[in-house]
Amino acid sequence: MSGPGADGRGPGMTPFRLLLVEDSVNDAALVTAELEQAGYLPTTRRVDTLEALRDALAAGAWDLVLCDQRLLGFTALDVLSLLHEEGRDVPLIVLSSQLSEDQAVTLMKAGARDCFSKDRLARLGPAVARELEETRVRRERARAELDRDILSRASELLTASLEQAARLDQLVQLMVPRVADWCAFFLQDPDQGGLRLVALAHPDAERRAHAWKLDQRFPLDPLAAAGPAHVLRTGQPEFMPDVRKRPEPITRDVAHQRAIEGLGLRSVVNVPLPGNEGRLGVMSMGTLGDRVLAPVDLALALELARRTGLVLENARLFQEAREAVRLRDEFLTVAAHELRTPLTTLRLQLGTLLQRSEAHRLEPDVVTRLERSVRQVRRLGTLVEGLLDVSQLSSGELSLMPERFDLEELVSEVLERYQAEAGAAGCELRQSPRRGLWGTWDRLRVDQAVAALISNALKFGPGRPVEVDVGREGGFARIQVRDRGIGVPVDQVERIFERFGRAVSSHSYGGLGLGLYLARRAAEAHGGRAWAEPALSGEGARFTLELPLEKETRE
């Protein structure tokens, strides 16, 4: 410790806030001198009544209370009782000219940290050192617990299914009054630019209303040298333990600066809300009167702002993605409707030409080209219908029109339609023996689902046979399509049923990635399911479509 200066107060002296409950001015001077001799620089307030003590406790935070054992009208026990009543974690040391052993024991049991006679003031320095250190450790632990509690509750709020405004309103409430006297969030306004106040917490409704009016009347200057706008522009947090010592005003607007000063601010902390592509806004908190913020409050604000910024950024990205999906679905709906009419006309025209090909005895090469064109138009029509179904699914479930039919007959019809495509792919389509399997389903949806499984097998297993088995399993009709193509990796068996999902590159195999998605949704709309699994032999894959049977059919 460096030596004392000419006035006995050297630069190495330890400052602390002392509340001295003493009715003797001379004794108070002796205590202060002893503390300075021990290397302390107390900021002292002396009181000699319980009312003055209560006012002093309300005025600020104290590090230590030194109290005479008996004063006019009250004792140290009354002081201890008042400290407990106010919930103040302040150590108390009792000094007395006359103090019996029994009195000392009673005081220690009541909560006094030490008791000794005024003629033994040499003990005061070590006792103060011990109490200040124990108080520091105790307060640091309590503050760590407070920070953990606030951040834990903040995480719950940030992950809750709340609207952004409600979420921010509840977040600022966490900080008041446990950490600060007021807390606010400012977010960037994409329409008007700059910052706007979106959430504010303060226990006084009149002050809250005044702050909201102040924000509406005086927008924050984006070029301000301090305050939230400056933090947003620079990205650097601002910590002002005493705003009265701010080197320059927060705004060049005299009326605005006067209104800010009228708020009675003492300490402020402004920290940026980080986003992926810049800063989203600013979190601000402050104190009034004698209450002062500390570096630990800045650390808490930075962590809370980091978590809040992350959630706000994710919410923004989610909203953008949802809007993009909405626009895409609108485009798919419009495109599907616009394509449907010319495709229908083209299909009818090609069909007419194909029907007349025999009568006009067209060359075989021309007939072949017409048949190929019909298949391609039919394939394009299937893709368009798939797009329309996807757009409908985005806004609700598939609509069903049930009718009773033979499932094996429908599968045969689908296989017949794909014979030409199978021949072009070098695949043989094989169907299990037909025995008849009747049920009530939506014929069009089941047809589309089966067609998707067949088309998928032909695409990924060219040159190999494709086997289709139709049967029943318990209360369900089951269609299984087995190919011997490239197979499906185990980690992709679910992804291929997602919308626009695929297990291989679209450049190699084409398609929109909708067929299996619509097949599964069709099965689920009926109360069934669809799934895929790699072949046991490691070659190819097996796709299963399961549809519920009617009760009488099951029996």
Side-chain angles (χ1 to χ4, degrees), residues 173-361:
Q173 300 292 339
L174 293 178
M175 308 296 284
V176 178
R178 303 169 76 185
V179 176
D181 294 322
W182 60 267
C183 184
F185 278 110
F186 296 87
L187 294 184
Q188 287 207 70
D189 191 333
D191 298 325
Q192 301 180 2
L195 288 172
R196 61 183 178 88
L197 181 64
V198 296
L200 174 67
H202 189 283
D204 188 332
E206 186 175 340
R207 282 179 178 262
R208 284 200 307 273
H210 178 64
W212 283 106
K213 291 179 180 178
L214 193 65
D215 178 72
Q216 295 173 359
R217 182 182 176 188
F218 299 105
L220 294 176
D221 182 0
L223 299 179
H230 177 73
V231 170
L232 180 72
R233 188 175 70 253
T234 64
Q236 297 300 315
E238 179 186 46
F239 173 42
M240 290 292 299
D242 191 343
V243 298
R244 296 171 299 184
K245 300 178 181 179
R246 194 189 294 273
E248 53 186 301
I250 193 174
T251 176
R252 292 167 293 184
D253 187 322
V254 177
H256 189 188
Q257 182 64 32
R258 190 182 301 115
I260 293 175
E261 293 172 354
L263 295 174
L265 302 178
R266 176 65 182 273
S267 290
V268 295
V269 163
N270 293 302
V271 293
L273 299 175
N276 291 341
E277 300 177 356
R279 293 167 285 278
L280 306 175
V282 175
M283 175 184 168
S284 182
M285 65 182 188
T287 60
L288 309 172
D290 294 329
R291 189 177 183 181
V292 178
L293 294 173
V296 66
D297 302 310
L298 172 62
L300 174 62
L302 284 169
E303 178 58 22
L304 183 57
R306 184 189 69 82
R307 300 188 184 192
T308 304
L310 178 62
V311 171
L312 292 180
E313 180 69 10
N314 289 340
R316 181 185 68 81
L317 293 175
F318 175 74
Q319 183 61 33
E320 289 181 357
R322 186 163 61 178
E323 178 64 14
V325 170
R326 185 188 67 80
L327 292 174
R328 184 197 65 190
D329 289 339
E330 285 185 1
F331 170 76
L332 291 178
T333 301
V334 173
H337 279 294
E338 291 297 319
L339 289 171
R340 183 186 270 175
T341 300
L343 276 176
T344 302
T345 303
L346 182 57
R347 186 167 59 245
L348 290 173
Q349 294 293 337
L350 288 174
T352 301
L353 289 175
L354 195 57
Q355 289 175 357
R356 296 179 179 179
S357 61
E358 293 184 4
H360 292 275
R361 297 180 181 179

